[in-house]
mmCIF file of all heavy atoms in Angstrom:
data_model
loop_
_atom_site.group_PDB
_atom_site.id
_atom_site.type_symbol
_atom_site.label_atom_id
_atom_site.label_comp_id
_atom_site.label_asym_id
_atom_site.label_seq_id
_atom_site.Cartn_x
_atom_site.Cartn_y
_atom_site.Cartn_z
ATOM 1 N N LYS I 377 -24.902 -5.952 9.785
ATOM 2 C CA LYS I 377 -25.737 -6.738 8.881
ATOM 3 C C LYS I 377 -24.904 -7.294 7.725
ATOM 4 O O LYS I 377 -23.918 -6.701 7.317
ATOM 5 C CB LYS I 377 -26.879 -5.882 8.319
ATOM 6 C CG LYS I 377 -27.802 -5.289 9.378
ATOM 7 C CD LYS I 377 -28.892 -4.446 8.743
ATOM 8 C CE LYS I 377 -29.765 -3.765 9.795
ATOM 9 N NZ LYS I 377 -30.472 -4.746 10.642
ATOM 10 N N SER I 378 -25.325 -8.453 7.212
ATOM 11 C CA SER I 378 -24.727 -9.030 6.023
ATOM 12 C C SER I 378 -25.749 -9.933 5.360
ATOM 13 O O SER I 378 -26.520 -10.626 6.041
ATOM 14 C CB SER I 378 -23.469 -9.849 6.365
ATOM 15 O OG SER I 378 -22.937 -10.459 5.192
ATOM 16 N N SER I 379 -25.748 -9.914 4.035
ATOM 17 C CA SER I 379 -26.656 -10.795 3.298
ATOM 18 C C SER I 379 -26.182 -12.242 3.350
ATOM 19 O O SER I 379 -26.941 -13.164 3.048
ATOM 20 C CB SER I 379 -26.768 -10.332 1.838
ATOM 21 O OG SER I 379 -25.483 -10.323 1.220
ATOM 22 N N ASP I 380 -24.930 -12.455 3.748
ATOM 23 C CA ASP I 380 -24.364 -13.797 3.853
ATOM 24 C C ASP I 380 -24.407 -14.208 5.326
ATOM 25 O O ASP I 380 -23.470 -13.968 6.090
ATOM 26 C CB ASP I 380 -22.924 -13.805 3.330
ATOM 27 C CG ASP I 380 -22.450 -15.195 2.941
ATOM 28 O OD1 ASP I 380 -23.044 -16.167 3.444
ATOM 29 O OD2 ASP I 380 -21.504 -15.306 2.149
ATOM 30 N N THR I 381 -25.506 -14.827 5.752
ATOM 31 C CA THR I 381 -25.746 -15.071 7.171
ATOM 32 C C THR I 381 -24.709 -16.011 7.807
ATOM 33 O O THR I 381 -24.452 -15.905 9.003
ATOM 34 C CB THR I 381 -27.146 -15.651 7.387
ATOM 35 O OG1 THR I 381 -27.302 -16.840 6.593
ATOM 36 C CG2 THR I 381 -28.211 -14.646 6.982
ATOM 37 N N LYS I 382 -24.127 -16.910 7.021
ATOM 38 C CA LYS I 382 -23.145 -17.829 7.601
ATOM 39 C C LYS I 382 -21.884 -17.104 8.058
ATOM 40 O O LYS I 382 -21.104 -17.636 8.851
ATOM 41 C CB LYS I 382 -22.778 -18.930 6.610
ATOM 42 C CG LYS I 382 -21.992 -18.485 5.384
ATOM 43 C CD LYS I 382 -21.651 -19.658 4.494
ATOM 44 C CE LYS I 382 -20.850 -19.239 3.261
ATOM 45 N NZ LYS I 382 -21.654 -18.369 2.359
ATOM 46 N N CYS I 383 -21.690 -15.867 7.556
ATOM 47 C CA CYS I 383 -20.501 -15.090 7.908
ATOM 48 C C CYS I 383 -20.755 -14.112 9.056
ATOM 49 O O CYS I 383 -19.816 -13.480 9.553
ATOM 50 C CB CYS I 383 -19.999 -14.314 6.688
ATOM 51 S SG CYS I 383 -19.619 -15.348 5.253
ATOM 52 N N LEU I 384 -22.009 -14.007 9.491
ATOM 53 C CA LEU I 384 -22.332 -13.048 10.547
ATOM 54 C C LEU I 384 -21.579 -13.294 11.855
ATOM 55 O O LEU I 384 -21.188 -12.326 12.520
ATOM 56 C CB LEU I 384 -23.839 -13.024 10.800
ATOM 57 C CG LEU I 384 -24.639 -12.137 9.838
ATOM 58 C CD1 LEU I 384 -26.141 -12.333 10.059
ATOM 59 C CD2 LEU I 384 -24.273 -10.666 10.040
ATOM 60 N N PRO I 385 -21.353 -14.556 12.273
ATOM 61 C CA PRO I 385 -20.580 -14.740 13.509
ATOM 62 C C PRO I 385 -19.199 -14.076 13.455
ATOM 63 O O PRO I 385 -18.720 -13.554 14.470
ATOM 64 C CB PRO I 385 -20.463 -16.266 13.625
ATOM 65 C CG PRO I 385 -21.691 -16.777 12.948
ATOM 66 C CD PRO I 385 -21.884 -15.848 11.785
ATOM 67 N N LEU I 386 -18.570 -14.061 12.282
ATOM 68 C CA LEU I 386 -17.277 -13.393 12.133
ATOM 69 C C LEU I 386 -17.444 -11.880 12.277
ATOM 70 O O LEU I 386 -16.641 -11.208 12.938
ATOM 71 C CB LEU I 386 -16.662 -13.714 10.769
ATOM 72 C CG LEU I 386 -16.527 -15.183 10.368
ATOM 73 C CD1 LEU I 386 -15.769 -15.293 9.050
ATOM 74 C CD2 LEU I 386 -15.854 -15.989 11.450
ATOM 75 N N ALA I 387 -18.485 -11.350 11.643
ATOM 76 C CA ALA I 387 -18.734 -9.912 11.710
ATOM 77 C C ALA I 387 -19.036 -9.476 13.140
ATOM 78 O O ALA I 387 -18.558 -8.428 13.589
ATOM 79 C CB ALA I 387 -19.903 -9.550 10.785
ATOM 80 N N ASN I 466 -15.860 -21.165 5.387
ATOM 81 C CA ASN I 466 -16.899 -20.935 4.376
ATOM 82 C C ASN I 466 -16.939 -19.511 3.834
ATOM 83 O O ASN I 466 -17.574 -19.254 2.810
ATOM 84 C CB ASN I 466 -18.274 -21.294 4.954
ATOM 85 C CG ASN I 466 -18.386 -22.757 5.322
ATOM 86 O OD1 ASN I 466 -17.732 -23.602 4.720
ATOM 87 N ND2 ASN I 466 -19.199 -23.067 6.319
ATOM 88 N N CYS I 467 -16.271 -18.584 4.508
ATOM 89 C CA CYS I 467 -16.312 -17.180 4.087
ATOM 90 C C CYS I 467 -14.944 -16.702 3.585
ATOM 91 O O CYS I 467 -14.666 -15.496 3.588
ATOM 92 C CB CYS I 467 -16.781 -16.299 5.244
ATOM 93 S SG CYS I 467 -18.390 -16.769 5.918
ATOM 94 N N SER I 468 -14.113 -17.627 3.152
ATOM 95 C CA SER I 468 -12.750 -17.271 2.740
ATOM 96 C C SER I 468 -12.730 -16.271 1.595
ATOM 97 O O SER I 468 -11.787 -15.492 1.449
ATOM 98 C CB SER I 468 -11.968 -18.523 2.345
ATOM 99 O OG SER I 468 -12.600 -19.194 1.269
ATOM 100 N N GLY I 469 -13.782 -16.268 0.774
ATOM 101 C CA GLY I 469 -13.836 -15.334 -0.346
ATOM 102 C C GLY I 469 -14.333 -13.954 0.023
ATOM 103 O O GLY I 469 -14.445 -13.074 -0.833
ATOM 104 N N GLY I 470 -14.623 -13.751 1.311
ATOM 105 C CA GLY I 470 -15.124 -12.455 1.759
ATOM 106 C C GLY I 470 -16.641 -12.402 1.764
ATOM 107 O O GLY I 470 -17.319 -13.347 1.364
ATOM 108 N N PHE I 471 -17.184 -11.274 2.212
ATOM 109 C CA PHE I 471 -18.636 -11.105 2.255
ATOM 110 C C PHE I 471 -18.981 -9.632 2.424
ATOM 111 O O PHE I 471 -18.185 -8.840 2.929
ATOM 112 C CB PHE I 471 -19.250 -11.945 3.382
ATOM 113 C CG PHE I 471 -18.706 -11.650 4.760
ATOM 114 C CD1 PHE I 471 -19.340 -10.751 5.609
ATOM 115 C CD2 PHE I 471 -17.561 -12.289 5.227
ATOM 116 C CE1 PHE I 471 -18.851 -10.497 6.883
ATOM 117 C CE2 PHE I 471 -17.059 -12.047 6.488
ATOM 118 C CZ PHE I 471 -17.710 -11.147 7.326
ATOM 119 N N PRO I 472 -20.178 -9.237 1.985
ATOM 120 C CA PRO I 472 -20.611 -7.848 2.162
ATOM 121 C C PRO I 472 -20.975 -7.597 3.617
ATOM 122 O O PRO I 472 -21.473 -8.488 4.309
ATOM 123 C CB PRO I 472 -21.844 -7.743 1.255
ATOM 124 C CG PRO I 472 -22.380 -9.139 1.214
ATOM 125 C CD PRO I 472 -21.184 -10.042 1.264
ATOM 126 N N LEU I 473 -20.722 -6.392 4.082
ATOM 127 C CA LEU I 473 -20.966 -6.062 5.484
ATOM 128 C C LEU I 473 -21.443 -4.620 5.606
ATOM 129 O O LEU I 473 -20.890 -3.720 4.982
ATOM 130 C CB LEU I 473 -19.674 -6.252 6.286
ATOM 131 C CG LEU I 473 -19.678 -5.805 7.744
ATOM 132 C CD1 LEU I 473 -20.617 -6.682 8.562
ATOM 133 C CD2 LEU I 473 -18.272 -5.863 8.325
ATOM 134 N N LYS I 481 -17.024 -4.024 1.958
ATOM 135 C CA LYS I 481 -16.835 -5.300 1.282
ATOM 136 C C LYS I 481 -15.577 -5.941 1.838
ATOM 137 O O LYS I 481 -14.468 -5.448 1.655
ATOM 138 C CB LYS I 481 -16.706 -5.114 -0.233
ATOM 139 C CG LYS I 481 -16.301 -6.394 -0.973
ATOM 140 C CD LYS I 481 -17.307 -7.521 -0.802
ATOM 141 C CE LYS I 481 -16.868 -8.756 -1.583
ATOM 142 N NZ LYS I 481 -17.788 -9.899 -1.381
#
Side-chain angles (χ1 to χ4, degrees):
K377 301 179 184 298
S378 177
S379 58
D380 201 338
T381 56
K382 68 178 180 295
C383 303
L384 277 172
L386 307 186
N466 297 331
C467 303
S468 60
F471 57 94
L473 173 67
K481 172 61 179 177

